């Protein structure tokens, strides 16, 4: 049980740190390049799964913090959800950074 608490806390803190570090280069880029960046989706379901990941992260994060990371199943689900969300955010970041650069 103690292992899941430590891993969940470390992964969540790593996620928030990576979000903070990812935002720094985007502020240093010329803002006119960011204004001409558009997301066009042919299918309306394109944003469903990223939205589901974000909602799942918020749900598991609030559930784990309110229970003070005592439920190991929720902790491991939070870890898995955060890893998948981190992978998605990394791919999105590299695509946007490639377009802006």
């Amino acid at each position: 049980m103690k292992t899941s608490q430590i891993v969940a806390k470390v992964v969540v803190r790593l996620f928030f740190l990576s979000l903070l570090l990812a935002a720094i280069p985007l502020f240093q880029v010329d803002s006119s390049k960011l204004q001409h960046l558009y997301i066009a989706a042919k299918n309306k379901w394109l944003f469903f799964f990223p939205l589901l990941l974000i909602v799942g992260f918020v749900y598991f994060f609030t559930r784990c913090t309110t229970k003070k990371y005592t439920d190991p199943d929720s902790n491991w689900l939070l870890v898995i959800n955060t890893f998948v969300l981190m992978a998605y955010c990394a791919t999105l970041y590299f695509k946007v950074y490639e377009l802006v650069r």
Side-chain angles (χ1 to χ4, degrees), residues 32-46:
S32 64
K33 292 181 181 180
L34 290 175
Q35 290 176 354
H36 300 291
L37 190 68
Y38 300 106
I39 298 174
K42 295 180 183 179
N43 193 350
K44 64 180 177 181
W45 290 96
L46 179 70

Side-chain angles (χ1 to χ4, degrees), residues 29-38 96-97 99-101:
V29 175
D30 187 19
S31 64
S32 64
K33 292 181 181 180
L34 290 175
Q35 290 176 354
H36 300 291
L37 190 68
Y38 300 106
V96 169
Y97 188 72
L99 290 173
V100 171
R101 192 171 46 120

Side-chain angles (χ1 to χ4, degrees), residues 3-50:
T3 306
S4 67
Q5 289 177 342
I6 294 170
V7 172
K9 288 179 183 180
V10 167
V11 168
V12 168
R13 289 176 184 166
L14 185 69
F15 174 69
F16 285 134
L17 181 67
S18 66
L19 277 181
L20 182 68
L21 292 177
I24 292 172
L26 292 177
F27 288 124
Q28 295 174 347
V29 175
D30 187 19
S31 64
S32 64
K33 292 181 181 180
L34 290 175
Q35 290 176 354
H36 300 291
L37 190 68
Y38 300 106
I39 298 174
K42 295 180 183 179
N43 193 350
K44 64 180 177 181
W45 290 96
L46 179 70
F47 301 112
F48 177 71
F49 291 109

Side-chain angles (χ1 to χ4, degrees), residues 61-100:
F61 182 65
T62 55
R63 181 175 175 164
C64 288
T65 53
T66 55
K67 291 187 176 187
K68 298 188 182 356
Y69 297 96
T70 56
D71 186 18
D73 292 335
S74 294
N75 292 342
W76 289 118
L77 287 172
L78 175 65
V79 168
I80 292 170
N81 190 350
T82 307
F83 275 138
V84 173
L85 187 60
M86 285 173 69
Y88 180 77
C89 287
T91 57
L92 184 67
Y93 174 78
F94 287 124
K95 283 294 187 182
V96 169
Y97 188 72
E98 184 179 290
L99 290 173
V100 171

